[in-house]
Amino acid sequence: MAIHFVYNGLGNFLNVLRDQKLCAEQAGSDLLVFSKVEHDFLRRHEAMIEREKIRILEYAPDKQQLILKMPIRAIFVAQGVTFRYLTQQMMKIGMKDDDWMLLNGGDFKLENGCTVEPDLALYPMAGKKRQSLFPHIVFEIGISQSVEELRSRADDYIRYSKGKINAVICLYAPQNQSYISWVVYKAFRQPDQDQAFESVIWGRGLITFYKDDHSGQYGLPATITTTGPIIIPIGKVPPGTPDELELIEEGLVEITEKFILRRWRG
């Protein structure tokens, strides 16, 4: 789970950050939570944040809380594999490079004042390659987070972007377990409430791996259980361009196979 600290000035903060960078991989704790963080932390320390290559999961000034994501290899592996898979899918349905932008950790500000940085964010491009205010699809890869925390985060993305973030795809990969589950949360609006968006579960599945106790390695997927193919709308695109992205079982197997095997083989 996340490790919690109280912010005691920039010097102490940097010492804690550097100490945790060394042990994050071994401990498997990818989140650091600092409470009592100064209201304008990001503005005052922008240069330091860039220099230290800090991954900000969320900064909520009203709560005086800063959540950092540590550079665990599994996160980067999952990002890279997911990035390649989505790129292939979008090319397959006829989208061009200037129709979309897929960012590793692109940050944006929700309408509740929180600055957030998801693991992957897919932006539809408006006009002359202009980036939208919010991404259309967000990916979150949970290692130390609980399922409830991922659900709450997905709901915040959708609720506080007023549905502009159309879908949140959560990959849940807890430590020391031989499976990954995935859930897609879709934007939903009650008919009588124009701007009151919330998240609903749109699709989910489970991919299971068996462990070979003799070799210490993990084999290929043994069983797959899903609700079937998931069709994800990717926003408005030029006329005649397909506006759906199919996230199929085969692709999820590819993503999770590489994620699991690379992490456990070190």
Side-chain angles (χ1 to χ4, degrees):
M1 304 301 291
I3 303 177
H4 293 258
F5 297 92
V6 175
Y7 178 80
N8 289 314
L10 187 60
N12 174 263
F13 171 80
L14 289 174
N15 287 335
V16 169
L17 179 65
R18 288 161 184 165
D19 288 345
Q20 290 302 315
K21 279 184 178 179
L22 296 176
C23 65
E25 192 77 42
Q26 290 79 12
S29 297
D30 62 326
L31 295 186
L32 298 184
V33 180
F34 289 86
S35 58
K36 298 187 178 180
V37 178
E38 53 205 22
H39 181 81
D40 56 351
F41 179 88
L42 293 189
R43 183 183 62 80
R44 292 179 60 187
H45 302 301
E46 183 177 359
M48 179 273 297
I49 290 169
E50 183 175 348
R51 182 174 64 250
E52 295 289 330
K53 295 181 171 60
I54 295 175
R55 288 270 335 259
I56 297 171
L57 187 72
E58 178 179 301
Y59 175 54
D62 59 326
K63 301 177 184 176
Q64 289 188 294
Q65 185 179 72
L66 174 68
I67 306 176
L68 306 179
K69 198 150 196 172
M70 303 305 289
I72 291 180
R73 284 174 293 172
I75 297 293
F76 296 133
V77 170
Q79 283 180 331
V81 174
T82 307
F83 188 100
R84 289 192 295 274
Y85 170 72
L86 287 176
T87 300
Q88 292 169 359
Q89 291 298 308
M90 286 185 284
M91 290 176 63
K92 186 173 74 174
I93 65 173
M95 293 194 73
K96 300 177 182 178
D97 288 345
D98 56 359
D99 292 331
W100 51 272
M101 178 183 291
L102 187 61
L103 297 179
N104 287 347
D107 67 316
F108 52 88
K109 192 171 184 177
L110 294 173
E111 294 186 9
N112 63 346
C114 291
T115 298
V116 291
E117 185 176 331
D119 291 307
L120 277 173
L122 177 66
Y123 289 83
M125 303 303 289
K128 297 180 179 179
K129 298 187 179 182
R130 180 172 58 86
Q131 183 174 316
S132 304
L133 180 62
F134 293 110
H136 197 69
I137 300 176
V138 163
F139 278 80
E140 282 292 351
I141 303 160
I143 294 179
S144 64
Q145 300 101 305
S146 67
V147 173
E148 291 75 18
E149 287 171 328
L150 286 173
R151 169 61 195 264
S152 175
R153 189 160 184 80
D155 196 62
D156 284 347
Y157 280 143
I158 290 171
R159 186 185 303 272
Y160 295 113
S161 69
K162 295 186 177 178
K164 293 183 178 68
I165 298 175
N166 189 260
V168 182
I169 302 175
C170 296
L171 300 180
Y172 178 56
Q175 287 285 327
N176 303 319
Q177 294 189 23
S178 60
Y179 65 85
I180 277 183
S181 56
W182 51 270
V183 179
V184 177
Y185 297 100
K186 183 79 169 59
F188 174 76
R189 178 176 59 83
Q190 297 286 358
D192 58 339
Q193 299 178 12
D194 288 344
Q195 297 298 322
F197 284 90
E198 57 186 283
S199 66
V200 295
I201 294 178
W202 199 26
R204 56 186 163 187
L206 174 68
I207 298 180
T208 303
F209 292 73
Y210 284 149
K211 180 180 178 182
D212 182 344
D213 292 326
H214 299 288
S215 67
Q217 303 293 340
Y218 288 76
L220 295 175
T223 59
I224 304 171
T225 306
T226 75
T227 55
I230 297 175
I231 305 298
I232 302 173
I234 54 178
K236 294 182 178 179
V237 294
T241 303
D243 63 353
E244 293 179 334
L245 168 69
E246 188 178 47
L247 193 66
I248 57 175
E249 293 179 8
E250 181 182 0
L252 284 168
V253 170
E254 180 182 1
I255 291 170
T256 51
E257 175 192 342
K258 293 183 179 180
F259 183 15
I260 288 278
L261 295 179
R262 185 76 63 86
R263 173 156 64 93
W264 276 331
R265 288 175 177 171

